[in-house]
Amino acid sequence: MTQPDDRLDDEDYPAYTMGRAAEIVGCSPDFLRRLGEAKLIDPHRSGGGHRRYSRYQLRLAARAREMCDQGTDMASAVRIIILEDQLEEALRHNQQHPG
């Protein structure tokens, strides 16, 4: 079981409520819902059904907000971010397993 101290460094721990996540990202709760519908982020649901977001998800949402603020439509922003994330993961894998 994860100790409380371990959660402080866990990028995937769903620590933020929708309201707090929207405040951190600088967007509306509706924007976060639409990112979920677009499959960029899949927030954890609490026992009561409330959305909970991780720091990793907040970084993705902040990137999407930045792109949308610059005029990119949401569908394009989501696709770009997903591809960037996949590329980063592939590069990390190649560094760990050269040859």
Side-chain angles (χ1 to χ4, degrees):
M1 176 153 174
T2 305
Q3 297 298 316
D5 290 346
D6 296 339
R7 293 180 184 156
L8 293 174
D9 294 326
D10 185 351
E11 293 288 307
D12 296 315
Y13 182 72
Y16 301 96
T17 63
M18 177 178 274
R20 182 70 178 125
E23 182 181 321
I24 291 168
V25 172
C27 67
S28 68
D30 183 59
F31 184 80
L32 293 176
R33 277 192 286 280
R34 290 185 305 147
L35 290 178
E37 292 167 4
K39 307 287 190 235
L40 179 63
I41 55 178
D42 184 20
H44 174 79
R45 295 290 185 141
S46 69
H50 300 282
R51 292 173 178 88
R52 305 284 295 190
Y53 297 87
S54 69
R55 289 191 323 211
Y56 173 72
Q57 291 171 328
L58 294 185
R59 277 199 306 280
L60 295 177
R63 177 78 175 117
R65 185 195 55 79
E66 178 183 296
M67 292 177 76
C68 289
D69 286 351
Q70 293 173 354
T72 305
D73 67 274
M74 184 177 284
S76 297
V78 166
R79 187 69 184 137
I80 290 166
I81 293 166
I82 289 170
L83 290 170
E84 287 174 341
D85 203 45
Q86 290 172 342
L87 175 60
E88 186 178 316
E89 180 62 31
L91 292 172
R92 202 171 21 254
H93 176 77
N94 287 342
Q95 287 176 346
Q96 293 172 353
H97 303 93

